Amino acid sequence: MIKFEHTVFALPFAFFGAMLGAFIVNNSLPTWSEWLWITVAMVGARSAAMSLNRVIDEQIDKQNPRTSNRAIPAGLVSKIEVLLFIIFSFALLFYAAFQLNMLAVYLLPIAVFFLVIYSYTKRFTWACHLILGVTIGIAPLGGWVGATGTLTWEALLLFLAVALWTAGFDVIYATQDADYDRENGLYSIPSRFGIGRALKIARFLHVISFSSFVGLLLLTQLGWIYFIGVLIAGGIMVYEHSLVSENDLSKLDVAFFTMNGILSLVLFIFAIGDILL
């Protein structure tokens, strides 16, 4: 029901936030305990959010030919089993937050709100992609808070970069359901503005995201190694957009899964290299 490989979108950025925060605030690296509990929190948060999405979207997934074979509509798992898994996942998130610091605990309600609400947003706003972006953008904030117990402007800029990157690729992904969404009263940027304009909006979001990643160079001690990673990430974004067009979405899976997974790992690896070297 939950694909492990999709973790590659958010987990590297949670680690990125933890590493950068500890380096800037404490002039050190996260402790082994912090690494452990940040990872546990991410597992709990992501598992709860994805499971909730599958429960909330059961009828939508069942009616959409593209998603009708997902676990719940296909009868592979029961809703009771999934609900129990959601409760366990949230318990894991809450326990991990308490093992980190009190700021992580105080901010939990905000994180949980977005983990829950984003699955409903396609029912009432085409800005649902931005809400998903905020939800994924909380990952580096969570890593930062988990490792430092603080929030700074640098952390918020990293949040903005990740949030807009996520929103941009989610707009691209949603183009394949534009007709279905329009016909069934669901909201998305592609169904509201058309595929051509949606792809232009996605490019705009990615330009701002790229600029925000570059902006971290001005606010932090990150240097040329990180900058190389940002340039590679920018190249990946450009290539991702070259794979899809208004009249050809056949390579969309490559653009969505492969390219964005690589981008996340590239930025994490080059940021770590810059901090360590």
Side-chain angles (χ1 to χ4, degrees):
M1 184 181 67
I2 300 175
K3 294 184 177 181
F4 175 78
E5 59 267 28
H6 292 184
T7 306
V8 78
F9 296 150
L11 188 59
F13 281 117
F15 290 159
F16 183 176
M19 285 279 292
L20 186 59
F23 178 62
I24 291 174
V25 176
N26 302 324
N27 195 29
S28 64
L29 298 178
T31 66
W32 286 110
S33 175
E34 289 166 346
W35 281 120
L36 170 65
W37 293 116
I38 288 170
T39 303
V40 171
M42 282 295 299
V43 169
R46 183 188 173 279
S47 299
M50 291 296 293
S51 300
L52 270 170
N53 179 262
R54 295 297 183 256
V55 171
I56 293 167
D57 283 356
E58 177 189 6
Q59 292 304 314
I60 294 174
D61 289 343
K62 189 174 183 178
Q63 296 168 12
N64 188 340
R66 185 180 66 82
T67 57
S68 60
N69 63 345
R70 285 180 174 172
I72 295 179
L76 301 178
V77 295
S78 71
K79 288 180 68 172
I80 295 298
E81 290 173 324
V82 179
L83 289 172
L84 290 174
F85 183 67
I86 291 169
I87 293 171
F88 172 77
S89 298
F90 272 129
L92 205 61
L93 169 61
F94 276 57
Y95 184 76
F98 274 94
Q99 301 307 306
L100 288 165
N101 54 68
M102 289 312 298
L103 181 60
V105 175
Y106 296 148
L107 294 177
L108 264 179
I110 298 175
V112 171
F113 172 79
F114 282 101
L115 289 171
V116 174
I117 196 64
Y118 91 87
S119 292
Y120 289 101
T121 53
K122 68 178 69 174
R123 291 163 172 80
F124 60 85
T125 177
W126 51 260
C128 53
H129 317 282
L130 297 175
I131 303 302
L132 176 62
V134 170
T135 306
I136 300 297
I138 289 174
L141 280 185
W144 188 293
V145 170
T148 69
T150 67
L151 270 180
T152 68
W153 288 110
E154 296 93 335
L156 294 175
L157 185 60
L158 178 58
F159 159 78
L160 179 67
V162 175
L164 295 182
W165 163 69
T166 303
F169 76 64
D170 192 58
V171 170
I172 295 174
Y173 189 64
T175 56
Q176 63 188 320
D177 289 328
D179 292 337
Y180 177 85
D181 290 346
R182 193 179 299 112
E183 293 168 0
N184 290 273
L186 298 174
Y187 293 81
S188 70
I189 286 178
S191 67
R192 172 65 177 81
F193 298 102
I195 293 176
R197 292 178 68 184
L199 292 175
K200 291 179 181 177
I201 291 171
R203 284 195 289 271
F204 173 76
L205 293 172
H206 280 166
V207 167
I208 303 302
S209 173
F210 175 79
S211 301
S212 300
F213 281 122
V214 172
L216 284 172
L217 286 165
L218 305 178
L219 293 182
T220 70
Q221 299 98 316
L222 291 169
W224 65 270
I225 297 177
Y226 167 73
F227 184 57
I228 291 174
V230 172
L231 292 179
I232 294 173
I236 292 173
M237 290 183 192
V238 171
Y239 179 64
E240 175 183 0
H241 285 276
S242 74
L243 291 174
V244 293
S245 69
E246 184 176 4
N247 300 314
D248 184 8
L249 301 174
S250 61
K251 298 179 181 178
L252 189 145
D253 280 347
V254 175
F256 180 73
F257 295 110
T258 306
M259 291 297 99
N260 287 297
I262 293 173
L263 183 150
S264 178
L265 288 171
V266 162
L267 282 172
F268 171 58
I269 291 170
F270 276 80
I272 282 184
D274 199 291
I275 291 171
L276 294 179
L277 299 177

